[in-house]
Amino acid sequence: MALTVTLVSAEEEVWHGEANLVVAKTVEGEIGFMTGHEPVLAILAEGQVRITQSDGTKVVARAQDGFLSMEGNELTIVAGLAALES
């Protein structure tokens, strides 16, 4: 079973899909999420959100000014500014 991940900025949905691993930078340091992770609510720090999709493809975005919430197998990242990197 994979994580359902949603990354949104104040203006739009930046990315949504399934992933095996997500690593994001919070004010307390980097944190990684996999299926079965305990519930978390954390404040985002400016930096990368690295998403490894179920097929192994990697997606990288920059995010800042927001929070992330992990509950069940759903990870939601809400950022003031977020964009996919090339």
Side-chain angles (χ1 to χ4, degrees):
M1 177 178 255
L3 292 173
T4 300
V5 181
T6 303
L7 171 61
V8 298
S9 73
E11 298 178 0
E12 65 183 342
E13 182 176 270
V14 176
W15 192 87
H16 177 83
E18 292 190 345
N20 288 336
L21 174 66
V22 177
V23 179
K25 189 173 179 184
T26 72
V27 295
E28 295 182 10
E30 280 196 336
I31 186 169
F33 296 93
M34 298 176 76
T35 302
H37 196 286
E38 66 184 45
V40 172
L41 182 60
I43 299 170
L44 280 178
E46 182 177 351
Q48 288 186 333
V49 176
R50 298 186 306 274
I51 302 165
T52 303
Q53 297 181 74
S54 300
D55 66 0
T57 305
K58 296 189 187 297
V59 175
V60 179
R62 287 208 71 73
Q64 67 183 54
D65 299 330
F67 67 93
L68 60 81
S69 172
M70 175 74 181
E71 189 165 333
N73 284 321
E74 293 189 22
L75 176 62
T76 303
I77 303 169
V78 179
L81 298 171
L84 295 178
E85 292 189 343
S86 301

